[in-house]
């Protein structure tokens, strides 16, 4: 005799299968069941915080319409409590009418997911435990160019609902918050960087006010970590605009990692430190800017060019990318060539009216004062046949040092860093390489940066299940991906052993949809 359940289960107690609402557990056997053998043969247990199986008082009966089906409900005939791990056992004492039994005892583990309700979830006992993570909001200085306009009011609505929720403990804003990149090449910058960020705040006053209401209420801890699009925003800038906000910053400007959770098992960062084109660059160009703090990575200039292309309607262009020759036996030269090919692929998709040779990119930021041409960023052929660059000269040889300065734990080979920079899966994989593989105490990692909202199971050096999530974006458009996403982490309740991670999408009508299947870990 064999059995199938309507609830997804796992044989591994450390990896229970996460199910949404579970009210009735149906066991379908291949033979008619003998009612007299049900007693003590089928048990449902809840797993407590110490891993002990505590029997769940249940009603277990044969389905009146089908003698091959057994149904299990709790005594209240209500859905099983959310945020719990359960163990289902069926012993060989259970027999069919013909006297058959299971070949071996059935033991299955499953967990019950939370149904998100920003107005409050009764199974959370009116306690503040949940952590919400948002990223890549991209609030800009000018609505003619910013990538978040239509989604700004829904963001305010979400934040206001969050502020009123009785279950939210933390809100983490994981970078690319106040955007200084998405501007056309000829945009006139404010006189100072602080003036720039004040202007961004003024242009997005409704969002700023909503976040400040949360901070001022004092019930929810609000934390900010830097992203690449706001890597010049200083501690003072954020503190001035959002008094009382917590900031998780590294010693290197433009980077930060926030560690939270009951046992510091959760790591949240933007993810750009692993991106060759977007990580802070404290080495290149300082001889040009003549200051000791310049960190703008080359992707900043890509964003400026791209914004011009959008503003110009992706025009037909006479610009061409130079054909470069390279000595492939020279590793450094080959990496410059790879860098050039990435730029060629990028620029193909963002045509502009302006000539690559003309100085059209205004700066007045991060120590840069000149107006640059696109060709200043691109590799070119020197008279002696070698490849060189005006800006970011020698970037291919300083990547290892740059990683050390930026706190990258596991060195990423420069060839991979260049050629895989646009691969979202490569950035996602750094959660495994840089965090789970190096620190077995970390069980959950959340990045932003890629705008590709997702959630997946990984593992750590101790062979424990871990969870990686990407919080997506709130930009108006995310080609091929959803927008208005957020991640929710629900730590274990007082007498539970399970921590749950979910990914959601917000809608303009203020409703929330689960975007991907949730994941759970035990004993975090």
């Amino acid at each position: 005799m064999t059995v199938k359940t309507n609830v997804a289960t796992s044989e591994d107690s450390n990896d229970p299968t996460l199910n949404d609402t579970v009210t009735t557990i149906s066991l379908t056997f291949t033979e008619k069941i003998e009612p007299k053998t049900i007693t003590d043969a089928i048990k449902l247990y809840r797993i407590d915080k110490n891993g002990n199986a505590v029997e769940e008082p249940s009603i277990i009966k044969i389905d009146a319409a089908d003698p091959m089906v057994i149904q299990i409900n709790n005594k209240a005939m209500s859905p099983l409590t959310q945020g719990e791990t359960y163990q289902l056992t069926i012993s060989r004492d259970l027999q069919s009418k013909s006297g058959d039994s299971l070949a071996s005892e059935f033991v299955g583990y499953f967990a019950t997911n939370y149904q998100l309700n920003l107005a409050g979830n009764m199974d959370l006992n009116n306690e503040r435990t949940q952590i919400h993570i948002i990223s890549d909001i991209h609030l800009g200085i000018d609505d003619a160019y910013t990538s978040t306009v239509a989604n700004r009011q829904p963001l305010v609505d979400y934040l206001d609902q969050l502020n009123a929720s009785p279950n939210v403990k933390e809100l983490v804003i994981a970078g690319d918050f106040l955007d200084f990149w998405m501007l056309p090449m000829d945009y006139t910058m404010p006189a100072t960087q602080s003036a720039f960020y004040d202007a961004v705040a003024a242009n997005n006053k409704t969002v700023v006010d909503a976040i400040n209401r949360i901070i001022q209420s004092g019930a929810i801890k609000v934390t900010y970590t830097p992203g690449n699009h706001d890597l010049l925003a200083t501690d003072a800038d954020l503190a001035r605009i959002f008094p009382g906000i917590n900031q998780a910053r590294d010693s290197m400007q433009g980077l930060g990692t926030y560690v939270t959770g009951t046992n510091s098992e959760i790591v949240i960062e933007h993810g750009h430190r692993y991106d060759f084109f977007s990580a802070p660059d404290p080495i290149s160009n300082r001889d040009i800017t003549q200051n000791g703090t310049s960190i703008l990575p080359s992707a900043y200039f890509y964003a400026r060019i791209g914004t011009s292309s959008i503003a110009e309607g992706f025009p037909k262009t006479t610009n061409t990318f130079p054909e470069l020759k390279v000595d492939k036996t020279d590793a450094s030269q080959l990496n410059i060539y790879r860098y050039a090919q990435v730029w060629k692929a990028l620029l193909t998709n963002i045509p502009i009216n302006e000539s690559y040779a003309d100085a059209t990119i205004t700066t007045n930021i991060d120590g840069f004062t000149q107006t640059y041409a696109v060709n200043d960023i691109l590799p070119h052929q020197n008279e002696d046949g070698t490849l060189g660059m005006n800006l970011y000269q020698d970037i291919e040889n300083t990547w290892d040092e740059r990683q050390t300065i930026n706190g990258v734990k596991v060195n990423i080979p420069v060839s991979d860093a260049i050629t895989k920079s646009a691969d979202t899966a490569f950035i996602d994989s750094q959660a495994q390489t840089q965090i789970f593989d190096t620190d077995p105490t970390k069980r959950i990692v959340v990045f932003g940066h890629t705008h590709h909202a997702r959630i997946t199971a990984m593992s750590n050096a101790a062979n424990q299940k871990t969870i990686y999530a990407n919080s997506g974006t709130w930009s108006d458009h995310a080609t091929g991906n959803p927008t208005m996403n957020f991640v929710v982490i629900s730590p274990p309740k007082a007498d539970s052993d399970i921590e749950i991670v979910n990914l959601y999408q917000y809608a303009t009508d203020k409703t929330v949809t689960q975007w991907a299947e949730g994941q759970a870990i035990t004993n975090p």
Side-chain angles (χ1 to χ4, degrees), residues 47-294:
I47 307 300
D48 69 15
K49 65 179 180 180
N50 297 314
N52 300 315
V54 180
E55 187 170 354
E56 182 81 2
S58 304
I59 298 171
I60 303 173
K61 61 183 180 181
I62 294 177
D63 188 339
D66 188 345
M68 298 169 68
V69 175
I70 292 178
Q71 295 180 333
I72 306 171
N73 296 91
N74 60 20
K75 289 286 189 180
M77 298 297 288
S78 62
L80 296 182
T81 303
Q82 299 169 34
E84 301 284 358
T85 305
Y86 293 90
Q87 174 186 321
L88 173 65
T89 63
I90 309 171
S91 76
R92 297 191 72 244
D93 292 335
L94 183 73
Q95 294 185 354
S96 69
K97 289 280 190 179
S98 63
D100 284 346
S101 60
L102 297 175
S104 60
E105 182 181 49
F106 174 94
V107 180
Y109 298 90
F110 68 94
T112 47
N113 200 1
Y114 288 104
Q115 302 304 301
L116 185 68
N117 184 347
L118 292 175
N121 185 319
M122 291 181 61
D123 285 348
L124 286 167
N125 305 319
N126 285 321
E127 295 178 352
R128 291 190 178 275
T129 58
Q130 293 186 319
I131 303 166
H132 283 234
I133 302 105
I134 57 177
S135 70
D136 299 84
I137 301 169
H138 294 285
L139 302 179
I141 193 172
D142 189 330
D143 283 358
Y145 310 113
T146 185
S147 57
T148 304
V149 178
N151 288 351
R152 186 160 49 202
Q153 184 55 48
L155 175 59
V156 172
D157 294 337
Y158 162 75
L159 292 168
D160 284 343
Q161 285 183 280
L162 209 66
N163 194 26
S165 174
N167 301 136
V168 180
K169 181 180 181 181
E170 296 194 53
L171 168 64
V172 182
I173 304 170
D176 281 8
F177 181 25
L178 307 178
D179 194 322
F180 74 93
W181 285 26
M182 300 303 291
L183 293 168
M185 297 185 295
D186 61 352
Y187 194 85
T188 301
M189 297 290 186
T192 64
Q193 287 176 196
S194 60
F196 184 98
Y197 287 113
D198 288 343
V200 172
N203 190 51
N204 297 275
K205 187 176 185 300
T206 55
V207 177
V208 172
D209 288 348
I211 292 173
N212 279 331
R213 284 193 292 271
I214 297 174
I215 296 171
Q216 291 160 11
S217 74
I220 299 172
K221 180 181 180 181
V222 180
T223 299
Y224 161 81
T225 64
N228 51 301
H229 279 244
D230 49 9
L231 55 74
L232 294 185
T234 64
D235 184 287
D237 289 327
L238 268 293
R240 183 178 65 255
I241 298 168
F242 303 101
I245 195 170
N246 181 52
Q247 300 185 53
R249 291 181 176 272
D250 292 0
S251 58
M252 180 66 212
Q253 172 67 30
L255 292 172
T257 300
Y258 181 53
V259 177
T260 187
T262 306
N263 296 303
S264 299
E265 75 278 7
I266 301 167
V267 176
I268 303 168
E269 65 170 303
H270 188 65
H272 62 300
R273 81 170 76 227
Y274 313 112
D275 183 338
F276 185 88
F277 288 80
S278 298
D281 187 344
I283 303 171
S284 303
N285 305 320
R286 288 190 176 181
D287 58 334
I288 295 172
T289 63
Q290 293 296 302
N291 73 20
T293 61
S294 296

Side-chain angles (χ1 to χ4, degrees), residues 465-516:
K465 178 183 177 180
T466 59
I467 302 170
Y468 168 73
N470 190 290
S471 46
T473 182
W474 282 75
S475 293
D476 291 349
H477 305 287
T479 305
N481 293 298
T483 185
M484 295 199 291
N485 300 110
F486 60 99
V487 170
V488 177
I489 301 174
S490 301
K493 293 183 288 188
D495 195 35
S496 174
D497 74 332
I498 193 164
E499 188 158 22
I500 298 173
V501 183
N502 280 293
L503 175 64
Y504 298 100
Q505 183 179 37
Y506 195 78
T508 55
D509 63 0
K510 303 182 183 181
T511 59
V512 174
T513 302
Q514 186 166 340
W515 181 253

Side-chain angles (χ1 to χ4, degrees), residues 365-437:
I365 195 165
D366 196 35
F368 290 86
T369 58
Q370 299 180 37
T371 301
Y372 294 95
V374 173
N375 281 344
D376 286 323
I377 305 151
L378 305 180
H380 58 260
Q381 203 95 47
N382 293 319
E383 290 184 2
D384 63 1
T386 60
L387 300 179
M389 291 174 281
N390 295 338
L391 293 175
Y392 301 98
Q393 178 68 32
D394 211 33
I395 191 174
E396 77 285 359
N397 293 322
T398 60
W399 172 240
D400 287 352
E401 181 184 0
R402 193 168 148 209
Q403 290 184 88
T404 299
I405 295 171
N406 287 342
V408 176
K409 293 180 182 178
V410 180
N411 183 277
I412 303 170
V414 63
S415 58
D416 286 346
I418 293 172
T419 59
K420 297 179 181 180
S421 59
D423 182 354
T424 60
F426 178 73
I427 298 298
D428 292 339
S429 72
Q430 298 309 308
Q432 181 74 60
T433 302
Q434 305 289 340
I435 301 173
F436 292 139
D437 286 350

